[in-house]
Short mmCIF file of all heavy atoms in Angstrom, two decimals:
data_model
loop_
_atom_site.label_atom_id
_atom_site.label_comp_id
_atom_site.label_asym_id
_atom_site.label_seq_id
_atom_site.Cartn_x
_atom_site.Cartn_y
_atom_site.Cartn_z
N MET A 13 5.48 -26.21 -14.04
CA MET A 13 4.17 -25.60 -14.08
C MET A 13 4.18 -24.35 -13.18
O MET A 13 4.67 -24.37 -12.06
CB MET A 13 3.11 -26.59 -13.60
CG MET A 13 1.73 -26.05 -13.64
SD MET A 13 0.57 -27.36 -13.18
CE MET A 13 -0.92 -26.51 -13.50
N ALA A 14 3.62 -23.28 -13.69
CA ALA A 14 3.61 -22.01 -12.96
C ALA A 14 2.62 -22.06 -11.80
O ALA A 14 1.58 -22.68 -11.87
CB ALA A 14 3.24 -20.88 -13.90
N THR A 15 2.98 -21.39 -10.74
CA THR A 15 2.13 -21.27 -9.57
C THR A 15 1.81 -19.80 -9.35
O THR A 15 2.69 -18.95 -9.43
CB THR A 15 2.85 -21.81 -8.31
OG1 THR A 15 3.18 -23.17 -8.53
CG2 THR A 15 1.97 -21.69 -7.09
N THR A 16 0.55 -19.52 -9.06
CA THR A 16 0.13 -18.15 -8.75
C THR A 16 -0.11 -18.05 -7.26
O THR A 16 -0.80 -18.88 -6.68
CB THR A 16 -1.16 -17.79 -9.52
OG1 THR A 16 -0.91 -17.89 -10.91
CG2 THR A 16 -1.61 -16.39 -9.18
N THR A 17 0.46 -17.04 -6.66
CA THR A 17 0.30 -16.81 -5.23
C THR A 17 -0.22 -15.40 -5.02
O THR A 17 0.31 -14.44 -5.59
CB THR A 17 1.65 -16.97 -4.50
OG1 THR A 17 2.16 -18.27 -4.76
CG2 THR A 17 1.50 -16.77 -3.01
N THR A 18 -1.25 -15.27 -4.21
CA THR A 18 -1.78 -13.96 -3.86
C THR A 18 -1.25 -13.57 -2.49
O THR A 18 -1.34 -14.35 -1.54
CB THR A 18 -3.32 -13.97 -3.83
OG1 THR A 18 -3.79 -14.36 -5.12
CG2 THR A 18 -3.87 -12.60 -3.47
N ILE A 19 -0.66 -12.39 -2.41
CA ILE A 19 -0.11 -11.90 -1.15
C ILE A 19 -0.87 -10.63 -0.78
O ILE A 19 -0.95 -9.70 -1.57
CB ILE A 19 1.38 -11.59 -1.27
CG1 ILE A 19 2.15 -12.80 -1.76
CG2 ILE A 19 1.93 -11.10 0.06
CD1 ILE A 19 3.58 -12.50 -2.09
N TYR A 20 -1.40 -10.61 0.42
CA TYR A 20 -2.11 -9.43 0.91
C TYR A 20 -1.19 -8.64 1.84
O TYR A 20 -0.30 -9.21 2.47
CB TYR A 20 -3.38 -9.85 1.65
CG TYR A 20 -4.38 -10.51 0.74
CD1 TYR A 20 -4.49 -11.89 0.67
CD2 TYR A 20 -5.20 -9.73 -0.08
CE1 TYR A 20 -5.40 -12.50 -0.18
CE2 TYR A 20 -6.11 -10.34 -0.94
CZ TYR A 20 -6.21 -11.71 -0.98
OH TYR A 20 -7.10 -12.30 -1.84
N PRO A 21 -1.41 -7.34 1.95
CA PRO A 21 -0.56 -6.54 2.84
C PRO A 21 -0.67 -7.02 4.29
O PRO A 21 -1.73 -7.42 4.74
CB PRO A 21 -1.14 -5.13 2.71
CG PRO A 21 -1.90 -5.12 1.44
CD PRO A 21 -2.40 -6.51 1.26
N THR A 22 0.45 -6.98 4.98
CA THR A 22 0.46 -7.34 6.40
C THR A 22 0.30 -6.09 7.27
O THR A 22 -0.01 -6.19 8.45
CB THR A 22 1.77 -8.05 6.78
OG1 THR A 22 2.87 -7.23 6.39
CG2 THR A 22 1.86 -9.40 6.09
N ASP A 23 0.51 -4.93 6.67
CA ASP A 23 0.35 -3.67 7.40
C ASP A 23 0.16 -2.54 6.39
O ASP A 23 0.57 -2.66 5.23
CB ASP A 23 1.59 -3.39 8.25
CG ASP A 23 1.29 -2.56 9.48
OD1 ASP A 23 0.13 -2.13 9.65
OD2 ASP A 23 2.21 -2.35 10.28
N ASP A 24 -0.49 -1.49 6.82
CA ASP A 24 -0.67 -0.34 5.94
C ASP A 24 -0.83 0.94 6.75
O ASP A 24 -1.13 0.91 7.93
CB ASP A 24 -1.89 -0.52 5.03
CG ASP A 24 -3.20 -0.68 5.79
OD1 ASP A 24 -3.53 0.18 6.62
OD2 ASP A 24 -3.92 -1.66 5.53
N THR A 25 -0.58 2.04 6.10
CA THR A 25 -0.75 3.37 6.68
C THR A 25 -0.75 4.38 5.55
O THR A 25 -0.58 4.02 4.39
CB THR A 25 0.36 3.69 7.71
OG1 THR A 25 0.01 4.89 8.40
CG2 THR A 25 1.71 3.86 7.05
N HIS A 26 -0.95 5.61 5.88
CA HIS A 26 -0.74 6.67 4.90
C HIS A 26 -0.02 7.83 5.58
O HIS A 26 -0.02 7.93 6.80
CB HIS A 26 -2.06 7.14 4.25
CG HIS A 26 -2.91 8.01 5.12
ND1 HIS A 26 -3.81 7.51 6.03
CD2 HIS A 26 -3.01 9.36 5.21
CE1 HIS A 26 -4.43 8.51 6.64
NE2 HIS A 26 -3.96 9.65 6.16
N ILE A 27 0.64 8.61 4.78
CA ILE A 27 1.33 9.79 5.31
C ILE A 27 0.84 11.02 4.55
O ILE A 27 0.43 10.93 3.40
CB ILE A 27 2.87 9.67 5.24
CG1 ILE A 27 3.34 9.37 3.81
CG2 ILE A 27 3.36 8.62 6.20
CD1 ILE A 27 4.84 9.36 3.65
N ARG A 28 0.86 12.14 5.24
CA ARG A 28 0.48 13.42 4.66
C ARG A 28 1.74 14.25 4.50
O ARG A 28 2.56 14.32 5.43
CB ARG A 28 -0.53 14.13 5.56
CG ARG A 28 -1.80 13.35 5.72
CD ARG A 28 -2.74 14.04 6.68
NE ARG A 28 -3.92 13.20 6.86
CZ ARG A 28 -4.90 13.49 7.69
NH1 ARG A 28 -4.85 14.59 8.42
NH2 ARG A 28 -5.93 12.68 7.79
N GLU A 29 1.86 14.88 3.37
CA GLU A 29 3.08 15.63 3.08
C GLU A 29 3.46 16.63 4.17
O GLU A 29 4.62 16.68 4.57
CB GLU A 29 2.93 16.32 1.73
CG GLU A 29 4.24 16.69 1.10
CD GLU A 29 4.06 17.05 -0.34
OE1 GLU A 29 3.36 18.04 -0.63
OE2 GLU A 29 4.61 16.34 -1.20
N PRO A 30 2.53 17.44 4.70
CA PRO A 30 2.94 18.39 5.73
C PRO A 30 3.33 17.73 7.06
O PRO A 30 4.02 18.32 7.86
CB PRO A 30 1.71 19.26 5.94
CG PRO A 30 0.80 19.00 4.80
CD PRO A 30 1.15 17.64 4.30
N ASN A 31 2.87 16.50 7.30
CA ASN A 31 3.15 15.77 8.55
C ASN A 31 3.78 14.42 8.22
O ASN A 31 3.28 13.38 8.64
CB ASN A 31 1.86 15.54 9.34
CG ASN A 31 1.12 16.82 9.63
OD1 ASN A 31 1.65 17.90 9.46
ND2 ASN A 31 -0.12 16.71 10.05
N ALA A 32 4.86 14.43 7.48
CA ALA A 32 5.43 13.19 6.95
C ALA A 32 5.90 12.19 8.00
O ALA A 32 6.08 11.02 7.70
CB ALA A 32 6.59 13.51 6.01
N THR A 33 6.07 12.61 9.25
CA THR A 33 6.52 11.67 10.28
C THR A 33 5.37 11.12 11.12
O THR A 33 5.60 10.32 12.02
CB THR A 33 7.55 12.35 11.21
OG1 THR A 33 6.94 13.48 11.83
CG2 THR A 33 8.79 12.78 10.44
N THR A 34 4.14 11.53 10.83
CA THR A 34 2.99 11.04 11.57
C THR A 34 2.47 9.77 10.91
O THR A 34 2.25 9.73 9.71
CB THR A 34 1.86 12.09 11.62
OG1 THR A 34 2.37 13.27 12.24
CG2 THR A 34 0.67 11.59 12.40
N ASN A 35 2.27 8.71 11.70
CA ASN A 35 1.76 7.44 11.21
C ASN A 35 0.24 7.42 11.41
O ASN A 35 -0.24 7.51 12.52
CB ASN A 35 2.42 6.29 11.97
CG ASN A 35 2.00 4.94 11.48
OD1 ASN A 35 0.96 4.77 10.84
ND2 ASN A 35 2.81 3.94 11.77
N TYR A 36 -0.49 7.27 10.32
CA TYR A 36 -1.95 7.19 10.38
C TYR A 36 -2.42 5.74 10.24
O TYR A 36 -3.48 5.47 9.68
CB TYR A 36 -2.56 8.06 9.28
CG TYR A 36 -2.25 9.53 9.44
CD1 TYR A 36 -1.17 10.11 8.81
CD2 TYR A 36 -3.04 10.32 10.26
CE1 TYR A 36 -0.88 11.47 8.97
CE2 TYR A 36 -2.76 11.68 10.44
CZ TYR A 36 -1.68 12.23 9.78
OH TYR A 36 -1.41 13.56 9.96
N GLY A 37 -1.67 4.80 10.77
CA GLY A 37 -1.96 3.39 10.63
C GLY A 37 -3.25 2.92 11.26
O GLY A 37 -3.75 1.86 10.93
N THR A 38 -3.82 3.70 12.17
CA THR A 38 -5.08 3.29 12.79
C THR A 38 -6.29 3.70 11.97
O THR A 38 -7.41 3.31 12.27
CB THR A 38 -5.22 3.90 14.20
OG1 THR A 38 -5.16 5.33 14.09
CG2 THR A 38 -4.12 3.40 15.12
N GLY A 39 -6.09 4.45 10.91
CA GLY A 39 -7.20 4.88 10.05
C GLY A 39 -7.75 3.72 9.24
O GLY A 39 -7.10 2.70 9.04
N ILE A 40 -8.97 3.89 8.74
CA ILE A 40 -9.59 2.81 7.96
C ILE A 40 -9.48 3.06 6.45
O ILE A 40 -9.84 2.20 5.66
CB ILE A 40 -11.07 2.61 8.35
CG1 ILE A 40 -11.87 3.88 8.12
CG2 ILE A 40 -11.17 2.14 9.79
CD1 ILE A 40 -13.37 3.71 8.30
N TYR A 41 -8.98 4.22 6.06
CA TYR A 41 -8.83 4.54 4.64
C TYR A 41 -7.37 4.78 4.31
O TYR A 41 -6.57 5.11 5.18
CB TYR A 41 -9.63 5.80 4.27
CG TYR A 41 -11.11 5.64 4.49
CD1 TYR A 41 -11.75 6.27 5.54
CD2 TYR A 41 -11.86 4.83 3.64
CE1 TYR A 41 -13.11 6.12 5.75
CE2 TYR A 41 -13.22 4.67 3.84
CZ TYR A 41 -13.84 5.32 4.89
OH TYR A 41 -15.18 5.16 5.08
N LEU A 42 -7.03 4.64 3.04
CA LEU A 42 -5.69 4.96 2.55
C LEU A 42 -5.82 6.06 1.50
O LEU A 42 -5.79 5.80 0.30
CB LEU A 42 -5.03 3.72 1.95
CG LEU A 42 -4.63 2.63 2.91
CD1 LEU A 42 -4.14 1.40 2.17
CD2 LEU A 42 -3.57 3.12 3.87
N PRO A 43 -6.00 7.30 1.93
CA PRO A 43 -6.14 8.38 0.96
C PRO A 43 -4.84 8.60 0.20
O PRO A 43 -3.76 8.56 0.79
CB PRO A 43 -6.51 9.59 1.80
CG PRO A 43 -6.02 9.28 3.16
CD PRO A 43 -6.05 7.79 3.30
N ILE A 44 -4.94 8.80 -1.09
CA ILE A 44 -3.77 9.09 -1.91
C ILE A 44 -4.11 10.23 -2.86
O ILE A 44 -5.26 10.45 -3.20
CB ILE A 44 -3.28 7.86 -2.70
CG1 ILE A 44 -4.40 7.30 -3.59
CG2 ILE A 44 -2.77 6.78 -1.76
CD1 ILE A 44 -3.95 6.18 -4.50
N GLY A 45 -3.10 10.97 -3.26
CA GLY A 45 -3.30 12.03 -4.24
C GLY A 45 -3.20 13.42 -3.63
O GLY A 45 -2.73 13.61 -2.52
N GLU A 46 -3.64 14.39 -4.42
CA GLU A 46 -3.60 15.80 -4.02
C GLU A 46 -4.81 16.14 -3.17
O GLU A 46 -5.94 15.84 -3.53
CB GLU A 46 -3.61 16.69 -5.26
CG GLU A 46 -2.37 16.58 -6.11
CD GLU A 46 -1.17 17.30 -5.52
OE1 GLU A 46 -1.35 18.18 -4.66
OE2 GLU A 46 -0.05 16.96 -5.91
N TRP A 47 -4.58 16.78 -2.04
CA TRP A 47 -5.63 17.24 -1.15
C TRP A 47 -5.32 18.69 -0.79
O TRP A 47 -4.19 19.14 -0.95
CB TRP A 47 -5.68 16.38 0.11
CG TRP A 47 -6.05 14.97 -0.15
CD1 TRP A 47 -5.29 14.03 -0.79
CD2 TRP A 47 -7.26 14.32 0.16
NE1 TRP A 47 -5.95 12.85 -0.87
CE2 TRP A 47 -7.18 12.99 -0.30
CE3 TRP A 47 -8.43 14.73 0.79
CZ2 TRP A 47 -8.20 12.09 -0.14
CZ3 TRP A 47 -9.45 13.81 0.95
CH2 TRP A 47 -9.33 12.51 0.48
N SER A 48 -6.28 19.38 -0.24
CA SER A 48 -6.06 20.78 0.12
C SER A 48 -4.94 20.93 1.14
O SER A 48 -4.27 21.94 1.20
CB SER A 48 -7.35 21.41 0.64
OG SER A 48 -7.80 20.73 1.80
N GLY A 49 -4.73 19.91 1.96
CA GLY A 49 -3.68 19.95 2.97
C GLY A 49 -2.37 19.35 2.51
O GLY A 49 -1.52 19.01 3.31
N GLY A 50 -2.19 19.16 1.21
CA GLY A 50 -0.96 18.57 0.69
C GLY A 50 -1.18 17.16 0.18
O GLY A 50 -2.24 16.57 0.34
N ARG A 51 -0.17 16.61 -0.46
CA ARG A 51 -0.27 15.26 -1.02
C ARG A 51 -0.29 14.20 0.07
O ARG A 51 0.32 14.37 1.13
CB ARG A 51 0.88 15.00 -1.97
CG ARG A 51 0.77 15.79 -3.25
CD ARG A 51 1.89 15.47 -4.17
NE ARG A 51 3.10 16.08 -3.61
CZ ARG A 51 4.17 16.39 -4.33
NH1 ARG A 51 4.21 16.12 -5.61
NH2 ARG A 51 5.21 16.95 -3.76
N ARG A 52 -0.98 13.09 -0.23
CA ARG A 52 -1.03 11.94 0.69
C ARG A 52 -0.53 10.70 -0.06
O ARG A 52 -0.80 10.54 -1.24
CB ARG A 52 -2.44 11.74 1.20
CG ARG A 52 -2.90 12.93 2.01
CD ARG A 52 -4.25 12.75 2.57
NE ARG A 52 -4.69 14.00 3.21
CZ ARG A 52 -5.80 14.12 3.89
NH1 ARG A 52 -6.60 13.09 4.04
NH2 ARG A 52 -6.12 15.28 4.44
N HIS A 53 0.16 9.86 0.67
CA HIS A 53 0.77 8.67 0.07
C HIS A 53 0.40 7.45 0.91
O HIS A 53 0.46 7.49 2.13
CB HIS A 53 2.29 8.81 0.04
CG HIS A 53 2.77 10.07 -0.60
ND1 HIS A 53 2.98 10.18 -1.95
CD2 HIS A 53 3.03 11.29 -0.07
CE1 HIS A 53 3.38 11.41 -2.23
NE2 HIS A 53 3.42 12.11 -1.10
N ALA A 54 0.03 6.37 0.26
CA ALA A 54 -0.26 5.12 0.95
C ALA A 54 1.01 4.28 1.02
O ALA A 54 1.81 4.25 0.08
CB ALA A 54 -1.34 4.34 0.22
N LEU A 55 1.19 3.60 2.14
CA LEU A 55 2.33 2.71 2.34
C LEU A 55 1.79 1.33 2.70
O LEU A 55 0.98 1.20 3.62
CB LEU A 55 3.23 3.23 3.47
CG LEU A 55 3.74 4.65 3.32
CD1 LEU A 55 4.43 5.10 4.61
CD2 LEU A 55 4.69 4.74 2.16
N LEU A 56 2.23 0.32 2.00
CA LEU A 56 1.79 -1.05 2.23
C LEU A 56 3.00 -1.94 2.48
O LEU A 56 4.03 -1.80 1.82
CB LEU A 56 1.02 -1.58 1.01
CG LEU A 56 -0.20 -0.77 0.60
CD1 LEU A 56 -0.69 -1.20 -0.77
CD2 LEU A 56 -1.30 -0.93 1.62
N GLU A 57 2.86 -2.85 3.43
CA GLU A 57 3.94 -3.80 3.72
C GLU A 57 3.47 -5.20 3.36
O GLU A 57 2.35 -5.59 3.69
CB GLU A 57 4.29 -3.74 5.21
CG GLU A 57 5.38 -4.73 5.59
CD GLU A 57 5.73 -4.63 7.06
OE1 GLU A 57 4.89 -5.02 7.89
OE2 GLU A 57 6.83 -4.15 7.35
N PHE A 58 4.33 -5.94 2.68
CA PHE A 58 4.03 -7.32 2.29
C PHE A 58 5.10 -8.24 2.86
O PHE A 58 6.29 -7.92 2.80
CB PHE A 58 4.03 -7.46 0.76
CG PHE A 58 2.96 -6.66 0.09
CD1 PHE A 58 3.18 -5.35 -0.29
CD2 PHE A 58 1.72 -7.22 -0.18
CE1 PHE A 58 2.20 -4.59 -0.92
CE2 PHE A 58 0.73 -6.49 -0.80
CZ PHE A 58 0.97 -5.17 -1.17
N ASP A 59 4.69 -9.38 3.40
CA ASP A 59 5.64 -10.36 3.91
C ASP A 59 6.02 -11.29 2.76
O ASP A 59 5.21 -12.10 2.31
CB ASP A 59 5.02 -11.17 5.05
CG ASP A 59 5.96 -12.22 5.60
OD1 ASP A 59 7.15 -12.28 5.17
OD2 ASP A 59 5.52 -13.01 6.45
N VAL A 60 7.22 -11.14 2.26
CA VAL A 60 7.69 -11.98 1.16
C VAL A 60 8.80 -12.93 1.63
O VAL A 60 9.55 -13.46 0.81
CB VAL A 60 8.18 -11.11 -0.02
CG1 VAL A 60 7.03 -10.35 -0.65
CG2 VAL A 60 9.29 -10.17 0.42
N SER A 61 8.87 -13.15 2.93
CA SER A 61 9.94 -14.00 3.47
C SER A 61 9.84 -15.45 3.00
O SER A 61 10.83 -16.17 3.03
CB SER A 61 9.92 -13.95 5.00
OG SER A 61 8.68 -14.44 5.50
N SER A 62 8.68 -15.87 2.54
CA SER A 62 8.54 -17.26 2.07
C SER A 62 9.17 -17.45 0.68
O SER A 62 9.36 -18.58 0.24
CB SER A 62 7.07 -17.67 2.03
OG SER A 62 6.36 -16.87 1.11
N PHE A 63 9.50 -16.36 0.00
CA PHE A 63 10.14 -16.45 -1.31
C PHE A 63 11.65 -16.44 -1.11
O PHE A 63 12.30 -15.40 -1.10
CB PHE A 63 9.71 -15.29 -2.21
CG PHE A 63 8.24 -15.30 -2.50
CD1 PHE A 63 7.38 -14.49 -1.80
CD2 PHE A 63 7.73 -16.15 -3.47
CE1 PHE A 63 6.02 -14.51 -2.06
CE2 PHE A 63 6.38 -16.18 -3.73
CZ PHE A 63 5.52 -15.36 -3.04
N THR A 64 12.21 -17.63 -0.94
CA THR A 64 13.63 -17.74 -0.62
C THR A 64 14.52 -17.68 -1.86
O THR A 64 15.72 -17.46 -1.75
CB THR A 64 13.91 -19.04 0.15
OG1 THR A 64 13.43 -20.13 -0.63
CG2 THR A 64 13.20 -19.02 1.50
N THR A 65 13.92 -17.86 -3.04
CA THR A 65 14.67 -17.78 -4.28
C THR A 65 14.04 -16.70 -5.15
O THR A 65 13.10 -16.98 -5.91
CB THR A 65 14.68 -19.14 -5.03
OG1 THR A 65 15.07 -20.16 -4.13
CG2 THR A 65 15.60 -19.11 -6.22
N PRO A 66 14.50 -15.47 -5.04
CA PRO A 66 13.87 -14.37 -5.79
C PRO A 66 13.80 -14.60 -7.29
O PRO A 66 12.88 -14.11 -7.95
CB PRO A 66 14.75 -13.17 -5.45
CG PRO A 66 15.38 -13.50 -4.16
CD PRO A 66 15.57 -15.00 -4.19
N SER A 67 14.72 -15.35 -7.85
CA SER A 67 14.69 -15.59 -9.30
C SER A 67 13.49 -16.43 -9.72
O SER A 67 13.17 -16.51 -10.90
CB SER A 67 15.99 -16.26 -9.76
OG SER A 67 16.14 -17.52 -9.12
N ASP A 68 12.83 -17.06 -8.75
CA ASP A 68 11.60 -17.82 -9.07
C ASP A 68 10.43 -16.90 -9.40
O ASP A 68 9.45 -17.33 -9.99
CB ASP A 68 11.20 -18.73 -7.90
CG ASP A 68 12.14 -19.91 -7.74
OD1 ASP A 68 12.91 -20.20 -8.68
OD2 ASP A 68 12.08 -20.55 -6.67
N ILE A 69 10.53 -15.64 -9.02
CA ILE A 69 9.46 -14.68 -9.29
C ILE A 69 9.68 -14.12 -10.69
O ILE A 69 10.68 -13.48 -10.96
CB ILE A 69 9.45 -13.54 -8.25
CG1 ILE A 69 9.28 -14.12 -6.84
CG2 ILE A 69 8.35 -12.53 -8.57
CD1 ILE A 69 9.49 -13.11 -5.74
N VAL A 70 8.73 -14.38 -11.57
CA VAL A 70 8.89 -13.93 -12.95
C VAL A 70 8.00 -12.73 -13.28
O VAL A 70 8.23 -12.05 -14.27
CB VAL A 70 8.62 -15.08 -13.95
CG1 VAL A 70 9.69 -16.15 -13.81
CG2 VAL A 70 7.25 -15.67 -13.75
N SER A 71 6.99 -12.48 -12.48
CA SER A 71 6.16 -11.29 -12.69
C SER A 71 5.38 -10.99 -11.42
O SER A 71 5.22 -11.84 -10.55
CB SER A 71 5.20 -11.47 -13.86
OG SER A 71 4.21 -12.42 -13.56
N ALA A 72 4.90 -9.76 -11.33
CA ALA A 72 4.08 -9.33 -10.20
C ALA A 72 3.05 -8.33 -10.69
O ALA A 72 3.32 -7.53 -11.59
CB ALA A 72 4.96 -8.71 -9.12
N ASN A 73 1.87 -8.39 -10.14
CA ASN A 73 0.80 -7.45 -10.46
C ASN A 73 0.30 -6.83 -9.17
O ASN A 73 0.22 -7.50 -8.14
CB ASN A 73 -0.36 -8.17 -11.16
CG ASN A 73 0.04 -8.74 -12.49
OD1 ASN A 73 0.52 -8.03 -13.34
ND2 ASN A 73 -0.13 -10.04 -12.65
N PHE A 74 -0.05 -5.57 -9.24
CA PHE A 74 -0.57 -4.85 -8.09
C PHE A 74 -1.87 -4.19 -8.51
O PHE A 74 -1.95 -3.57 -9.57
CB PHE A 74 0.45 -3.79 -7.63
CG PHE A 74 0.05 -3.06 -6.40
CD1 PHE A 74 0.18 -3.66 -5.16
CD2 PHE A 74 -0.47 -1.80 -6.46
CE1 PHE A 74 -0.19 -2.99 -4.00
CE2 PHE A 74 -0.85 -1.11 -5.32
CZ PHE A 74 -0.71 -1.72 -4.09
N SER A 75 -2.89 -4.33 -7.68
CA SER A 75 -4.19 -3.79 -8.05
C SER A 75 -4.76 -2.96 -6.90
O SER A 75 -4.71 -3.37 -5.75
CB SER A 75 -5.15 -4.95 -8.36
OG SER A 75 -6.43 -4.48 -8.63
N LEU A 76 -5.30 -1.78 -7.24
CA LEU A 76 -5.96 -0.92 -6.27
C LEU A 76 -7.39 -0.68 -6.74
O LEU A 76 -7.64 -0.56 -7.93
CB LEU A 76 -5.27 0.44 -6.16
CG LEU A 76 -3.92 0.50 -5.51
CD1 LEU A 76 -3.34 1.91 -5.63
CD2 LEU A 76 -3.99 0.09 -4.06
N THR A 77 -8.29 -0.59 -5.80
CA THR A 77 -9.69 -0.29 -6.11
C THR A 77 -10.08 0.99 -5.41
O THR A 77 -9.96 1.09 -4.19
CB THR A 77 -10.61 -1.45 -5.65
OG1 THR A 77 -10.18 -2.66 -6.28
CG2 THR A 77 -12.05 -1.17 -6.01
N ALA A 78 -10.55 1.96 -6.17
CA ALA A 78 -11.00 3.22 -5.59
C ALA A 78 -12.44 3.05 -5.08
O ALA A 78 -13.30 2.53 -5.79
CB ALA A 78 -10.96 4.33 -6.61
N ILE A 79 -12.67 3.47 -3.84
CA ILE A 79 -14.04 3.38 -3.31
C ILE A 79 -14.76 4.71 -3.34
O ILE A 79 -15.96 4.77 -3.17
CB ILE A 79 -14.05 2.78 -1.89
CG1 ILE A 79 -13.22 3.63 -0.94
CG2 ILE A 79 -13.57 1.35 -1.89
CD1 ILE A 79 -13.41 3.25 0.52
N SER A 80 -14.01 5.78 -3.54
CA SER A 80 -14.62 7.09 -3.68
C SER A 80 -13.62 8.04 -4.28
O SER A 80 -12.42 7.80 -4.27
CB SER A 80 -15.11 7.62 -2.33
OG SER A 80 -14.01 7.91 -1.49
N SER A 81 -14.11 9.12 -4.80
CA SER A 81 -13.24 10.13 -5.36
C SER A 81 -13.87 11.49 -5.18
O SER A 81 -15.06 11.66 -5.39
CB SER A 81 -13.01 9.86 -6.85
OG SER A 81 -12.26 10.90 -7.42
N SER A 82 -13.05 12.42 -4.77
CA SER A 82 -13.57 13.77 -4.60
C SER A 82 -13.27 14.64 -5.82
O SER A 82 -13.35 15.84 -5.77
CB SER A 82 -12.98 14.40 -3.34
OG SER A 82 -11.57 14.46 -3.45
N GLY A 83 -12.89 14.00 -6.90
CA GLY A 83 -12.62 14.74 -8.12
C GLY A 83 -11.20 14.67 -8.50
O GLY A 83 -10.69 15.10 -9.41
#
């Protein structure tokens, strides 16, 4: 019988293209996409250490919800 497990990120941050080495992990938003100051990328970390047999994973889904958009 299949089991469904929901895994939430254990850490997150975003990076800005012009300042790619700056960690914005203390921010409350994860801006992504094109901005006037360059592209922004979200980074999410998931703890998957409990999955000791990777072949047991047959599918994965990832979902994002936009809370605002500037166009």
Side-chain angles (χ1 to χ4, degrees):
M13 182 175 186
T15 301
T16 300
T17 303
T18 301
I19 304 171
Y20 295 99
T22 55
D23 208 356
D24 60 54
T25 190
H26 76 275
I27 55 175
R28 298 177 184 177
E29 201 166 63
N31 304 347
T33 60
T34 301
N35 183 339
Y36 296 94
T38 58
I40 59 172
Y41 298 107
L42 290 173
I44 57 174
E46 294 284 340
W47 296 70
S48 61
R51 289 182 287 203
R52 297 182 186 186
H53 308 273
L55 304 171
L56 302 167
E57 179 179 70
F58 296 88
D59 179 5
V60 293
S61 61
S62 63
F63 297 99
T64 56
T65 309
S67 62
D68 288 345
I69 302 170
V70 294
S71 69
N73 296 304
F74 184 77
S75 176
L76 289 174
T77 302
I79 59 169
S80 68
S81 175
S82 60

